[in-house]
């Protein structure tokens, strides 16, 4: 398996995505913003489809649209009472826009399919440099804002009274979520970004770990799911995204069962 360059590239890409998705997803679930990651992945899909239509790299379009949309959601977070309604409308509009772009994208059907369902085995080795730079930047950015972000997530009223800028934190954090979604989409595709971003983090929180241990556990579980999905895909010739989704469900179910037993 490791004798093939495309498999080695896939394993490295999966590691980089898990490195970002684990800690970012942990905060995402803690803050109750899981639906935002789902929406950003669909907005990114529309941007990627538009980029392909204009002859630009899909990853560039996905990243830019997801980051800008995340920042927009952060700015609008305290201006709209029905935030979930707003996100749902944006999600629907993004999918419609993506479908329109795909309608005119007759020359690259394979790229469109990869956007939706992922193509981790098709990642070019040169893309690892960009993925690595983004991963390092995301981890460093999250490390800088982790303490005020944790404070604002657990006690927002007290944090605001202490002078923490909640809106700025929300904007910066959702921008990180946009980058993480773009990286994750390379592996699972737009339709399953939710799996690698949320399932490991939700399992980690369900097990009751503290912040540092929880983020580390979320990273470890995301890595297990991504690498396990690759290995099972190699053995069974089924898509890696299917195995990643299945492993994510199994891991969360196991964590939920353990937490239930502890509760007794």
């Amino acid at each position: 398996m490791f004798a093939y360059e495309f498999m080695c590239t896939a394993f490295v890409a999966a590691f980089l995505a898990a490195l970002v998705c684990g800690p970012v997803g942990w905060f995402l679930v803690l803050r109750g913003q899981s639906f935002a990651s789902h929406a950003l992945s669909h907005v990114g899909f529309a941007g990627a489809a538009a980029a392909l239509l204009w002859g630009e790299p899909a990853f560039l379009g996905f990243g830019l649209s997801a980051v800008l949309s995340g920042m927009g959601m952060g700015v609008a977070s305290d201006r709209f009472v029905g935030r979930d309604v707003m996100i749902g409308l944006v999600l629907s509009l993004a999918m419609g826009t993506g479908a329109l772009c795909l309608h005119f994208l007759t020359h690259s059907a394979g790229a469109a399919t990869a956007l939706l369902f992922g193509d981790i085995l098709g990642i070019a080795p040169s893309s690892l440099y960009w993925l690595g730079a983004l991963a390092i930047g995301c981890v460093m950015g999250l490390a800088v804002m982790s303490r005020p972000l944790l404070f604002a997530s657990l006690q927002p009223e007290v944090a605001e009274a202490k002078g923490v800028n909640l809106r700025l934190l929300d904007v910066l954090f959702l921008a990180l979520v946009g980058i993480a979604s773009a990286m994750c989409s390379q592996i699972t595709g737009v339709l399953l970004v939710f799996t690698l971003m949320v399932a490991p983090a939700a399992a980690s929180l369900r097990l009751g770990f503290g912040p540092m241990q929880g983020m580390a556990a979320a990273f470890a579980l995301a890595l297990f799911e991504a690498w396990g999905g690759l290995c099972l895909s190699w053995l069974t010739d089924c898509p890696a995204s299917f195995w990643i989704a299945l492993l994510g469900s199994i891991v969360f179910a196991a964590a939920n069962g353990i937490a239930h037993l502890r509760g007794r």
Side-chain angles (χ1 to χ4, degrees):
M1 178 167 57
F2 293 104
Y4 297 94
E5 184 183 30
F6 70 90
M7 286 300 296
C8 295
T9 301
F11 273 93
V12 175
F15 172 82
L16 294 173
L19 182 64
V20 174
C21 289
V24 171
W26 189 86
F27 273 108
L28 195 67
V29 176
L30 179 69
R31 292 169 62 83
Q33 293 179 316
S34 301
F35 188 43
S37 70
H38 187 58
L40 288 178
S41 66
H42 287 72
V43 172
F45 162 71
L52 285 174
L53 186 62
W54 295 331
E56 299 296 332
F59 183 75
L60 178 63
F62 193 114
L64 286 177
S65 58
V67 170
L68 292 176
S69 297
M71 295 174 69
M73 287 181 186
V75 170
S77 62
D78 58 353
R79 297 186 181 182
F80 293 88
V81 176
R83 186 180 183 184
D84 287 345
V85 175
M86 181 193 70
I87 293 177
L89 291 174
V90 170
L91 187 153
S92 302
L93 178 60
M95 287 302 292
T97 303
L100 178 65
C101 292
L102 292 184
H103 174 73
F104 294 105
L105 192 65
T106 57
H107 62 279
S108 187
T113 302
L115 282 177
L116 291 172
F117 302 104
D119 186 21
I120 188 172
L121 300 181
I123 295 177
S126 58
S127 299
L128 294 179
Y129 296 105
W130 288 103
L131 291 175
L134 288 174
I136 293 172
C138 282
V139 171
M140 291 178 63
L142 190 62
V144 170
M145 71 171 73
S146 60
R147 293 191 66 176
L149 186 62
L150 181 62
F151 188 20
S153 301
L154 297 176
Q155 295 181 312
E157 294 83 4
V158 178
E160 188 172 23
K162 293 287 186 179
V164 177
N165 192 328
L166 299 184
R167 181 187 292 182
L168 178 60
L169 270 179
D170 209 26
V171 169
L172 294 176
F173 175 66
L174 287 175
L176 284 182
V177 174
I179 297 174
S181 298
M183 294 181 65
C184 186
S185 70
Q186 301 293 296
I187 297 175
T188 62
V190 169
L191 298 179
L192 292 177
V193 164
F194 199 74
T195 299
L196 198 58
M197 183 86 71
V198 174
S204 174
L205 282 167
R206 198 73 181 90
L207 291 171
F209 291 115
M212 293 302 297
Q213 297 90 341
M215 285 185 277
F219 159 64
L221 291 174
L223 187 63
F224 165 74
E225 293 170 19
W227 280 3
L230 278 172
C231 292
L232 290 170
S233 175
W234 174 268
L235 294 173
T236 62
D237 200 29
C238 293
S241 55
F242 161 74
W243 289 115
I244 292 172
L246 180 60
L247 289 174
S249 300
I250 292 173
V251 165
F252 179 75
N256 197 51
I258 293 172
H260 180 70
L261 291 174
R262 285 179 178 175
R264 288 183 177 180

